[in-house]
Amino acid sequence: MGMFIYGQQPGAGMENRLSSHPLLPLEDDDVLEQSLANEIAQLRLEIKRRDNLLQERDRLLREWMLSQEAFKSLFRKYGRLPDGRMIVDLPSDEKSKLIEDEEAAILRIRPDLAR
């Protein structure tokens, strides 16, 4: 950034600075326009690819959620402990303890799943 000298008009000496840096020729407008059009087309393709990946992710998440709900429903209907008690009939604190123990066992095997 230039230094301001008291009493000097703003922009004074600009001619010297401009003459020391030759102006670069501007590109032909058609070349510039085509270059911008290519960039825009490339960005549109990238956005389309991203949108397709997001749609695929959402589809996979919906399928996963459905399978989890189906598993939970079947587990509630048919899940039993080794002693024969139905899991759905257990008190809430006992169910929570079972879930916590199972999560801990899974995290020992798959620590990357930790929140």
Side-chain angles (χ1 to χ4, degrees), residues 41-53:
Q42 184 64 31
L43 289 172
R44 284 183 177 149
L45 282 174
E46 289 177 26
I47 290 170
K48 183 67 175 162
R49 275 189 229 122
R50 187 210 59 201
D51 289 347
N52 289 341
L53 288 171

Side-chain angles (χ1 to χ4, degrees), residues 2-3 5 10 23 26 36 38 47 53 72 75 84 88 91 96 106 111:
M3 187 168 73
I5 300 172
L23 295 175
L26 293 177
L36 289 173
N38 289 342
I47 290 170
L53 288 171
K72 285 193 300 187
F75 188 75
V88 72
S96 295
I106 291 169

Side-chain angles (χ1 to χ4, degrees), residues 2 5 9 25 32 38-39 41-42 45 50 53 62-63 73-74 79 81 83 85-86 96 100 114:
I5 300 172
Q9 292 293 326
L32 246 174
N38 289 342
E39 284 184 47
Q42 184 64 31
L45 282 174
R50 187 210 59 201
L53 288 171
R62 282 192 303 276
E63 286 180 11
S73 177
L74 289 170
L81 292 175
D83 63 8
R85 292 182 297 159
M86 294 287 294
S96 295
E100 288 170 8

